[in-house]
Amino acid sequence: MATLLLSSCGNKPAVLEIDLNQNWTFKKVQDTLWNKATVPGTVHTDLIDIGEIPNPYYRLNEHDLQWIDKENWEYKTLIKVSKEVLAKERIELHFSGLDTYSKIYLNDSLILQTDNMFRNYTVEVKPLLQLGDNRIHILLESPINKGLEKYDALGYKIPVSDNDLSKIGKVEGEKQVSIFTRKAGYHFGWDWGPRLVTSGIWRPIKLRSYNHHKIDDLFIQQEAIGEKANLTAHIELSATEINDKSKIEILVNDSIVKTQEVALEVGKNNFNIPFEIENPQLWWPNGMGAQVLYTIEAQVVSDSYVDKKAHKIGLRTIELVREPDAIGASFFFKVNGHPVFMKGANYIPQDVFLPRAKQAEYEHILSSAKEANMNMLRVWGGGIYEDDMFYQMCDEKGLLVWQDFMFACAMFPGDPSFLDNVRQEAIDNVKRLRNHTSIALWCGNNEILSAWENWGWKNQVAQEQSKPIADTIWKAYDDIFHKILPEVVQEFNNSRAYWPSSPGSDFGKKESLEKGDAHYWMVWWGKEPFDKYTTEIPRFMSEYGFQSFPELSTVEKYTQPKDHDIYSEVMTSHQRSSIGNVTIEEYMLRHYKKPKDFASFLYVSQLLQAHGVNVGIEAHRRNRERCMGSLYWQINDCWPVASWSSIDYYGKWKALQYKAKKSFKNFLISNEDKADRLNVFIVSDSLKSINAKLKIRLLDFEGNELNQWEEEVVVAPNTSQQYVTLLKNDFLKGKDSENILLHEALYVGDKIQTENIHYLSPFKQLDFPDPELSFTVKENPDVFEVTLNTKKLAKDVFLSSGFIANFSDNYFDMLPNTQKTVTIKKTKREDLESFKSKLSILTLTDSFTD
């Protein structure tokens, strides 16, 4: 039980808040035995904890657990309330995340019913509280049964993508009911995720009590930046008494910069307090400058009570530039007055069971993004509005956020109650997140416009149901994405742009390569070659990608040895793309020799993914006068699976993550490979020009230099330029392209700023020698250090250790007669001998038999 106490010192704190996270129990409604529960948590994780169900991610266990979402569940706890708390003028319960259909009782009185996982709810409860023990009882109703009720009552069918895995979910009639519930879409399945429809108290419940007044919301709006930064603190406040002699203080980094007297009225109060910051330091995206954050606090003092609220704010301007041009219309972000090429990935929730993602998991994914030279992540619309710590870390790491509202790959109902629910959801989340410097864009939905216009949904509904039904479904779309959501953004966060649908070319207009943003999936779904990335270039690429398997150490965590075939039942179940494993194999045999065994197949699949996506990254960056963003699908996983991710569920970097780190550097050498020539580009995302030397060497795989070329260059800032054209006949001088490579390096003084290795024939045609690779290992205080030496070309060197940590570099090429040292963090559990015993090193030549 939680005991609530009041403290006093000087001006008394107006508000007392406590998490109600202790001593919860739960059960299935028809059961009699109550079991220990964790709050925040989910029904599934609580069942795991008490040993009622096995790990849902292991082998085929997911399929046997579909009964859980058809049941109703209940949770309860007691809170002990003291005389001091009961004496407070106002006492309220605040629910920041209930998943999803709930009825909440306090001392047997129904105080709240909820139907939206994404909203927060506050209820005044003082009249119902009593001295001592107070009972909170929460009934969570089955989202499937509630969805079926709404599905059957509607009278027509709303289109939903096959990502709603109703067959796996064993839903009556395989009805797709996900759209009727304001709940994370991916819980119902996706083409990279399992079908595990959770219920639970997924975010904290707090008991708040206060006297006199409470700050409900603080929004720091930036007005202008020059020699001073002009800002406004928008304060929403609840008061229980009139007081004409109240005071608001604005503090910046603990120093008072503004004091203003105000009059409080009973009920809701709104104040707009302008203030200034002298000599402002700007916040910059990762790779462009520092991420300076100011702590801005508002204190409201009234009748000897004080309440305060603070946010960390970065000072910067950001705008989405959409202007007509010779191609069509631009689509790029300008930060602090400078066009910025957005480098990054799409982000999904880190687990199906959301409370499992703790600070360490957030830190790992977002630090990995920063380390990989990313400056933007897209929070995709089939997941959740992320935890506050996600955005705070993005603020700190310079990662801008393209924020989708939570709608993806489905049309939605349009009845008044649903639309009002959506409006309140949008208000809650825009207000919660708008203080974060990282928020760059609000986007209405993921791929719904494309589905309606391009996937055949509009015509299908008109033909199979009726034109009036199609019009009704479209009106719901229009109401949500062209009216409600942009109105909320305009009212509560008008300094950020709103974009209705990704991809799209304008409001209600389907995607185009000439305007707006694009999702290019003809590579993968259309089986087109990777080279298509070099010709299908949009104004902003917000989705594209290719799948791979996780490494063997990860696969071993959810399989048994008998499952180690990509077409086994278990491996097929941990692959949710309808064309998945077959497509990986098809593309692999286009580019590589056939791997000799299962482990080699996993390894080569990652090389394939890294190669394919890198073709896209470099094409987008080379063509930045047309395309100003490259966000691949996707950076992370929500369970162990074959997917498009560059970091697997257990945090292991795949080859793609290492490749992206190199390809997203501020300076990039990239080649446009034509039949008779090679056009060499240098791309710069730096805001400063550099004087450099570009040196190109033609080497054979033994290390012999066959030709070279060099030139002094001035690399212009924030541009992509072609600096060299090499005619292949002249440069190769008749050499066999199957055992040679080009090494390109940009030198600033004696230091290599960036480098690139370019092969002149497909990988499967290259005649790789035995690299004669050797290595030594030593132990330092915090890391193990592996030093590799190779006599001949070593292609795609892969180190595996069985450790949780990642190597400082991996899946890299080593030129002949070179040395490279990589490190990996160690823990107290490992010593040098155990590390050596687990260390494995292989190259591409080890993955196949001649």
Side-chain angles (χ1 to χ4, degrees), residues 89 125 127 181 194-195 264 391 408 431 463 535 538 542 546 607 635 685:
E89 294 171 330
V125 294
T181 300
R195 168 89 177 199
L264 299 189
Y391 302 96
K431 290 179 69 173
Q463 292 170 8
T535 57
S542 48
F546 196 85
L607 305 181
I635 191 172
D685 289 335

mmCIF file with all atom_site columns, all heavy atoms in Angstrom, residues 89 125 127 181 194-195 264 391 408 431 463 535 538 542 546 607 635 685:
data_model
loop_
_atom_site.group_PDB
_atom_site.id
_atom_site.type_symbol
_atom_site.label_atom_id
_atom_site.label_alt_id
_atom_site.label_comp_id
_atom_site.label_asym_id
_atom_site.label_entity_id
_atom_site.label_seq_id
_atom_site.pdbx_PDB_ins_code
_atom_site.Cartn_x
_atom_site.Cartn_y
_atom_site.Cartn_z
_atom_site.occupancy
_atom_site.B_iso_or_equiv
_atom_site.pdbx_formal_charge
_atom_site.auth_seq_id
_atom_site.auth_comp_id
_atom_site.auth_asym_id
_atom_site.auth_atom_id
_atom_site.pdbx_PDB_model_num
ATOM 1   N N   . GLU A 1 89  ? -7.584  20.409  -0.758  1.00 0.00 ? 89  GLU A N   1
ATOM 2   C CA  . GLU A 1 89  ? -8.785  20.936  -1.408  1.00 0.00 ? 89  GLU A CA  1
ATOM 3   C C   . GLU A 1 89  ? -9.213  20.104  -2.621  1.00 0.00 ? 89  GLU A C   1
ATOM 4   O O   . GLU A 1 89  ? -10.407 19.944  -2.886  1.00 0.00 ? 89  GLU A O   1
ATOM 5   C CB  . GLU A 1 89  ? -8.538  22.388  -1.825  1.00 0.00 ? 89  GLU A CB  1
ATOM 6   C CG  . GLU A 1 89  ? -8.348  23.323  -0.641  1.00 0.00 ? 89  GLU A CG  1
ATOM 7   C CD  . GLU A 1 89  ? -7.901  24.702  -1.076  1.00 0.00 ? 89  GLU A CD  1
ATOM 8   O OE1 . GLU A 1 89  ? -7.221  24.827  -2.110  1.00 0.00 ? 89  GLU A OE1 1
ATOM 9   O OE2 . GLU A 1 89  ? -8.223  25.663  -0.359  1.00 0.00 ? 89  GLU A OE2 1
ATOM 10  N N   . VAL A 1 125 ? -11.460 12.852  -7.311  1.00 0.00 ? 125 VAL A N   1
ATOM 11  C CA  . VAL A 1 125 ? -11.897 11.715  -6.480  1.00 0.00 ? 125 VAL A CA  1
ATOM 12  C C   . VAL A 1 125 ? -12.035 12.048  -5.003  1.00 0.00 ? 125 VAL A C   1
ATOM 13  O O   . VAL A 1 125 ? -12.341 11.165  -4.204  1.00 0.00 ? 125 VAL A O   1
ATOM 14  C CB  . VAL A 1 125 ? -10.917 10.522  -6.637  1.00 0.00 ? 125 VAL A CB  1
ATOM 15  C CG1 . VAL A 1 125 ? -10.965 9.973   -8.048  1.00 0.00 ? 125 VAL A CG1 1
ATOM 16  C CG2 . VAL A 1 125 ? -9.490  10.905  -6.241  1.00 0.00 ? 125 VAL A CG2 1
ATOM 17  N N   . PRO A 1 127 ? -14.342 13.364  -3.095  1.00 0.00 ? 127 PRO A N   1
ATOM 18  C CA  . PRO A 1 127 ? -15.558 12.947  -2.383  1.00 0.00 ? 127 PRO A CA  1
ATOM 19  C C   . PRO A 1 127 ? -15.649 11.446  -2.124  1.00 0.00 ? 127 PRO A C   1
ATOM 20  O O   . PRO A 1 127 ? -16.403 11.018  -1.232  1.00 0.00 ? 127 PRO A O   1
ATOM 21  C CB  . PRO A 1 127 ? -16.685 13.393  -3.328  1.00 0.00 ? 127 PRO A CB  1
ATOM 22  C CG  . PRO A 1 127 ? -16.082 14.482  -4.162  1.00 0.00 ? 127 PRO A CG  1
ATOM 23  C CD  . PRO A 1 127 ? -14.656 14.070  -4.348  1.00 0.00 ? 127 PRO A CD  1
ATOM 24  N N   . THR A 1 181 ? -10.550 0.088   -32.503 1.00 0.00 ? 181 THR A N   1
ATOM 25  C CA  . THR A 1 181 ? -9.990  0.333   -31.182 1.00 0.00 ? 181 THR A CA  1
ATOM 26  C C   . THR A 1 181 ? -8.791  1.255   -31.295 1.00 0.00 ? 181 THR A C   1
ATOM 27  O O   . THR A 1 181 ? -7.872  0.984   -32.078 1.00 0.00 ? 181 THR A O   1
ATOM 28  C CB  . THR A 1 181 ? -9.571  -0.998  -30.519 1.00 0.00 ? 181 THR A CB  1
ATOM 29  O OG1 . THR A 1 181 ? -10.714 -1.840  -30.404 1.00 0.00 ? 181 THR A OG1 1
ATOM 30  C CG2 . THR A 1 181 ? -8.974  -0.759  -29.150 1.00 0.00 ? 181 THR A CG2 1
ATOM 31  N N   . PRO A 1 194 ? 4.666   -9.998  -34.288 1.00 0.00 ? 194 PRO A N   1
ATOM 32  C CA  . PRO A 1 194 ? 3.744   -11.065 -33.908 1.00 0.00 ? 194 PRO A CA  1
ATOM 33  C C   . PRO A 1 194 ? 2.341   -10.528 -33.653 1.00 0.00 ? 194 PRO A C   1
ATOM 34  O O   . PRO A 1 194 ? 2.113   -9.314  -33.594 1.00 0.00 ? 194 PRO A O   1
ATOM 35  C CB  . PRO A 1 194 ? 4.360   -11.596 -32.611 1.00 0.00 ? 194 PRO A CB  1
ATOM 36  C CG  . PRO A 1 194 ? 4.970   -10.381 -31.987 1.00 0.00 ? 194 PRO A CG  1
ATOM 37  C CD  . PRO A 1 194 ? 5.509   -9.567  -33.143 1.00 0.00 ? 194 PRO A CD  1
ATOM 38  N N   . ARG A 1 195 ? 1.402   -11.406 -33.498 1.00 0.00 ? 195 ARG A N   1
ATOM 39  C CA  . ARG A 1 195 ? 0.027   -11.068 -33.124 1.00 0.00 ? 195 ARG A CA  1
ATOM 40  C C   . ARG A 1 195 ? -0.113  -11.342 -31.632 1.00 0.00 ? 195 ARG A C   1
ATOM 41  O O   . ARG A 1 195 ? -0.325  -12.468 -31.198 1.00 0.00 ? 195 ARG A O   1
ATOM 42  C CB  . ARG A 1 195 ? -0.964  -11.909 -33.921 1.00 0.00 ? 195 ARG A CB  1
ATOM 43  C CG  . ARG A 1 195 ? -2.419  -11.859 -33.406 1.00 0.00 ? 195 ARG A CG  1
ATOM 44  C CD  . ARG A 1 195 ? -3.194  -10.757 -34.030 1.00 0.00 ? 195 ARG A CD  1
ATOM 45  N NE  . ARG A 1 195 ? -4.587  -10.771 -33.568 1.00 0.00 ? 195 ARG A NE  1
ATOM 46  C CZ  . ARG A 1 195 ? -5.586  -10.169 -34.204 1.00 0.00 ? 195 ARG A CZ  1
ATOM 47  N NH1 . ARG A 1 195 ? -5.348  -9.505  -35.325 1.00 0.00 ? 195 ARG A NH1 1
ATOM 48  N NH2 . ARG A 1 195 ? -6.819  -10.204 -33.729 1.00 0.00 ? 195 ARG A NH2 1
ATOM 49  N N   . LEU A 1 264 ? -5.514  35.104  -10.014 1.00 0.00 ? 264 LEU A N   1
ATOM 50  C CA  . LEU A 1 264 ? -6.076  33.770  -10.225 1.00 0.00 ? 264 LEU A CA  1
ATOM 51  C C   . LEU A 1 264 ? -7.588  33.795  -10.011 1.00 0.00 ? 264 LEU A C   1
ATOM 52  O O   . LEU A 1 264 ? -8.087  34.422  -9.075  1.00 0.00 ? 264 LEU A O   1
ATOM 53  C CB  . LEU A 1 264 ? -5.449  32.756  -9.260  1.00 0.00 ? 264 LEU A CB  1
ATOM 54  C CG  . LEU A 1 264 ? -3.941  32.523  -9.330  1.00 0.00 ? 264 LEU A CG  1
ATOM 55  C CD1 . LEU A 1 264 ? -3.558  31.340  -8.447  1.00 0.00 ? 264 LEU A CD1 1
ATOM 56  C CD2 . LEU A 1 264 ? -3.479  32.301  -10.750 1.00 0.00 ? 264 LEU A CD2 1
ATOM 57  N N   . TYR A 1 391 ? 11.827  11.143  -26.477 1.00 0.00 ? 391 TYR A N   1
ATOM 58  C CA  . TYR A 1 391 ? 11.986  12.470  -27.077 1.00 0.00 ? 391 TYR A CA  1
ATOM 59  C C   . TYR A 1 391 ? 13.060  13.276  -26.348 1.00 0.00 ? 391 TYR A C   1
ATOM 60  O O   . TYR A 1 391 ? 13.793  14.050  -26.980 1.00 0.00 ? 391 TYR A O   1
ATOM 61  C CB  . TYR A 1 391 ? 10.649  13.203  -27.074 1.00 0.00 ? 391 TYR A CB  1
ATOM 62  C CG  . TYR A 1 391 ? 9.584   12.452  -27.822 1.00 0.00 ? 391 TYR A CG  1
ATOM 63  C CD1 . TYR A 1 391 ? 8.687   11.609  -27.154 1.00 0.00 ? 391 TYR A CD1 1
ATOM 64  C CD2 . TYR A 1 391 ? 9.480   12.527  -29.208 1.00 0.00 ? 391 TYR A CD2 1
ATOM 65  C CE1 . TYR A 1 391 ? 7.725   10.891  -27.839 1.00 0.00 ? 391 TYR A CE1 1
ATOM 66  C CE2 . TYR A 1 391 ? 8.517   11.804  -29.904 1.00 0.00 ? 391 TYR A CE2 1
ATOM 67  C CZ  . TYR A 1 391 ? 7.643   10.991  -29.210 1.00 0.00 ? 391 TYR A CZ  1
ATOM 68  O OH  . TYR A 1 391 ? 6.702   10.274  -29.897 1.00 0.00 ? 391 TYR A OH  1
ATOM 69  N N   . ALA A 1 408 ? -2.304  3.712   -39.460 1.00 0.00 ? 408 ALA A N   1
ATOM 70  C CA  . ALA A 1 408 ? -1.452  3.082   -40.471 1.00 0.00 ? 408 ALA A CA  1
ATOM 71  C C   . ALA A 1 408 ? -2.209  2.008   -41.234 1.00 0.00 ? 408 ALA A C   1
ATOM 72  O O   . ALA A 1 408 ? -2.880  1.160   -40.635 1.00 0.00 ? 408 ALA A O   1
ATOM 73  C CB  . ALA A 1 408 ? -0.204  2.476   -39.816 1.00 0.00 ? 408 ALA A CB  1
ATOM 74  N N   . LYS A 1 431 ? 0.089   18.249  -27.013 1.00 0.00 ? 431 LYS A N   1
ATOM 75  C CA  . LYS A 1 431 ? 0.450   19.053  -25.845 1.00 0.00 ? 431 LYS A CA  1
ATOM 76  C C   . LYS A 1 431 ? 1.574   18.396  -25.041 1.00 0.00 ? 431 LYS A C   1
ATOM 77  O O   . LYS A 1 431 ? 2.452   19.080  -24.520 1.00 0.00 ? 431 LYS A O   1
ATOM 78  C CB  . LYS A 1 431 ? -0.785  19.280  -24.968 1.00 0.00 ? 431 LYS A CB  1
ATOM 79  C CG  . LYS A 1 431 ? -1.810  20.208  -25.605 1.00 0.00 ? 431 LYS A CG  1
ATOM 80  C CD  . LYS A 1 431 ? -3.043  20.392  -24.731 1.00 0.00 ? 431 LYS A CD  1
ATOM 81  C CE  . LYS A 1 431 ? -2.725  21.187  -23.485 1.00 0.00 ? 431 LYS A CE  1
ATOM 82  N NZ  . LYS A 1 431 ? -3.960  21.491  -22.724 1.00 0.00 ? 431 LYS A NZ  1
ATOM 83  N N   . GLN A 1 463 ? -17.069 -1.145  -55.951 1.00 0.00 ? 463 GLN A N   1
ATOM 84  C CA  . GLN A 1 463 ? -17.567 -2.261  -56.751 1.00 0.00 ? 463 GLN A CA  1
ATOM 85  C C   . GLN A 1 463 ? -18.230 -3.337  -55.898 1.00 0.00 ? 463 GLN A C   1
ATOM 86  O O   . GLN A 1 463 ? -19.280 -3.873  -56.267 1.00 0.00 ? 463 GLN A O   1
ATOM 87  C CB  . GLN A 1 463 ? -16.423 -2.862  -57.566 1.00 0.00 ? 463 GLN A CB  1
ATOM 88  C CG  . GLN A 1 463 ? -15.891 -1.941  -58.662 1.00 0.00 ? 463 GLN A CG  1
ATOM 89  C CD  . GLN A 1 463 ? -14.609 -2.447  -59.295 1.00 0.00 ? 463 GLN A CD  1
ATOM 90  O OE1 . GLN A 1 463 ? -14.169 -3.573  -59.023 1.00 0.00 ? 463 GLN A OE1 1
ATOM 91  N NE2 . GLN A 1 463 ? -13.991 -1.623  -60.144 1.00 0.00 ? 463 GLN A NE2 1
ATOM 92  N N   . THR A 1 535 ? 17.518  5.440   -59.954 1.00 0.00 ? 535 THR A N   1
ATOM 93  C CA  . THR A 1 535 ? 16.687  6.141   -60.942 1.00 0.00 ? 535 THR A CA  1
ATOM 94  C C   . THR A 1 535 ? 15.351  6.600   -60.366 1.00 0.00 ? 535 THR A C   1
ATOM 95  O O   . THR A 1 535 ? 14.800  7.604   -60.819 1.00 0.00 ? 535 THR A O   1
ATOM 96  C CB  . THR A 1 535 ? 16.421  5.252   -62.169 1.00 0.00 ? 535 THR A CB  1
ATOM 97  O OG1 . THR A 1 535 ? 15.793  4.033   -61.752 1.00 0.00 ? 535 THR A OG1 1
ATOM 98  C CG2 . THR A 1 535 ? 17.721  4.933   -62.883 1.00 0.00 ? 535 THR A CG2 1
ATOM 99  N N   . PRO A 1 538 ? 12.901  10.331  -55.267 1.00 0.00 ? 538 PRO A N   1
ATOM 100 C CA  . PRO A 1 538 ? 11.853  11.299  -54.935 1.00 0.00 ? 538 PRO A CA  1
ATOM 101 C C   . PRO A 1 538 ? 12.447  12.581  -54.339 1.00 0.00 ? 538 PRO A C   1
ATOM 102 O O   . PRO A 1 538 ? 13.663  12.751  -54.285 1.00 0.00 ? 538 PRO A O   1
ATOM 103 C CB  . PRO A 1 538 ? 11.036  10.542  -53.893 1.00 0.00 ? 538 PRO A CB  1
ATOM 104 C CG  . PRO A 1 538 ? 12.078  9.757   -53.154 1.00 0.00 ? 538 PRO A CG  1
ATOM 105 C CD  . PRO A 1 538 ? 13.123  9.366   -54.186 1.00 0.00 ? 538 PRO A CD  1
ATOM 106 N N   . SER A 1 542 ? 11.016  8.653   -47.448 1.00 0.00 ? 542 SER A N   1
ATOM 107 C CA  . SER A 1 542 ? 10.695  8.401   -46.043 1.00 0.00 ? 542 SER A CA  1
ATOM 108 C C   . SER A 1 542 ? 10.540  6.922   -45.709 1.00 0.00 ? 542 SER A C   1
ATOM 109 O O   . SER A 1 542 ? 10.431  6.572   -44.528 1.00 0.00 ? 542 SER A O   1
ATOM 110 C CB  . SER A 1 542 ? 9.429   9.163   -45.651 1.00 0.00 ? 542 SER A CB  1
ATOM 111 O OG  . SER A 1 542 ? 8.406   8.960   -46.593 1.00 0.00 ? 542 SER A OG  1
ATOM 112 N N   . PHE A 1 546 ? 15.174  -3.308  -47.195 1.00 0.00 ? 546 PHE A N   1
ATOM 113 C CA  . PHE A 1 546 ? 15.341  -4.702  -47.580 1.00 0.00 ? 546 PHE A CA  1
ATOM 114 C C   . PHE A 1 546 ? 15.579  -5.514  -46.308 1.00 0.00 ? 546 PHE A C   1
ATOM 115 O O   . PHE A 1 546 ? 16.192  -5.033  -45.348 1.00 0.00 ? 546 PHE A O   1
ATOM 116 C CB  . PHE A 1 546 ? 16.511  -4.871  -48.552 1.00 0.00 ? 546 PHE A CB  1
ATOM 117 C CG  . PHE A 1 546 ? 16.507  -6.187  -49.269 1.00 0.00 ? 546 PHE A CG  1
ATOM 118 C CD1 . PHE A 1 546 ? 15.770  -6.351  -50.431 1.00 0.00 ? 546 PHE A CD1 1
ATOM 119 C CD2 . PHE A 1 546 ? 17.210  -7.276  -48.765 1.00 0.00 ? 546 PHE A CD2 1
ATOM 120 C CE1 . PHE A 1 546 ? 15.737  -7.574  -51.085 1.00 0.00 ? 546 PHE A CE1 1
ATOM 121 C CE2 . PHE A 1 546 ? 17.186  -8.507  -49.401 1.00 0.00 ? 546 PHE A CE2 1
ATOM 122 C CZ  . PHE A 1 546 ? 16.448  -8.654  -50.570 1.00 0.00 ? 546 PHE A CZ  1
ATOM 123 N N   . LEU A 1 607 ? 24.853  -8.999  -45.321 1.00 0.00 ? 607 LEU A N   1
ATOM 124 C CA  . LEU A 1 607 ? 25.658  -8.305  -46.327 1.00 0.00 ? 607 LEU A CA  1
ATOM 125 C C   . LEU A 1 607 ? 24.778  -7.827  -47.470 1.00 0.00 ? 607 LEU A C   1
ATOM 126 O O   . LEU A 1 607 ? 24.950  -6.715  -47.990 1.00 0.00 ? 607 LEU A O   1
ATOM 127 C CB  . LEU A 1 607 ? 26.743  -9.234  -46.866 1.00 0.00 ? 607 LEU A CB  1
ATOM 128 C CG  . LEU A 1 607 ? 27.683  -9.881  -45.858 1.00 0.00 ? 607 LEU A CG  1
ATOM 129 C CD1 . LEU A 1 607 ? 28.715  -10.741 -46.586 1.00 0.00 ? 607 LEU A CD1 1
ATOM 130 C CD2 . LEU A 1 607 ? 28.376  -8.834  -44.992 1.00 0.00 ? 607 LEU A CD2 1
ATOM 131 N N   . ILE A 1 635 ? 14.996  0.837   -38.116 1.00 0.00 ? 635 ILE A N   1
ATOM 132 C CA  . ILE A 1 635 ? 16.205  0.730   -37.294 1.00 0.00 ? 635 ILE A CA  1
ATOM 133 C C   . ILE A 1 635 ? 16.125  -0.417  -36.291 1.00 0.00 ? 635 ILE A C   1
ATOM 134 O O   . ILE A 1 635 ? 17.147  -1.019  -35.963 1.00 0.00 ? 635 ILE A O   1
ATOM 135 C CB  . ILE A 1 635 ? 16.499  2.058   -36.554 1.00 0.00 ? 635 ILE A CB  1
ATOM 136 C CG1 . ILE A 1 635 ? 17.910  2.016   -35.934 1.00 0.00 ? 635 ILE A CG1 1
ATOM 137 C CG2 . ILE A 1 635 ? 15.424  2.401   -35.535 1.00 0.00 ? 635 ILE A CG2 1
ATOM 138 C CD1 . ILE A 1 635 ? 18.383  3.327   -35.352 1.00 0.00 ? 635 ILE A CD1 1
ATOM 139 N N   . ASP A 1 685 ? 27.705  17.316  -45.957 1.00 0.00 ? 685 ASP A N   1
ATOM 140 C CA  . ASP A 1 685 ? 26.634  17.881  -45.139 1.00 0.00 ? 685 ASP A CA  1
ATOM 141 C C   . ASP A 1 685 ? 27.184  18.903  -44.155 1.00 0.00 ? 685 ASP A C   1
ATOM 142 O O   . ASP A 1 685 ? 26.457  19.384  -43.278 1.00 0.00 ? 685 ASP A O   1
ATOM 143 C CB  . ASP A 1 685 ? 25.910  16.773  -44.370 1.00 0.00 ? 685 ASP A CB  1
ATOM 144 C CG  . ASP A 1 685 ? 25.074  15.894  -45.284 1.00 0.00 ? 685 ASP A CG  1
ATOM 145 O OD1 . ASP A 1 685 ? 24.676  16.378  -46.356 1.00 0.00 ? 685 ASP A OD1 1
ATOM 146 O OD2 . ASP A 1 685 ? 24.831  14.733  -44.928 1.00 0.00 ? 685 ASP A OD2 1
#
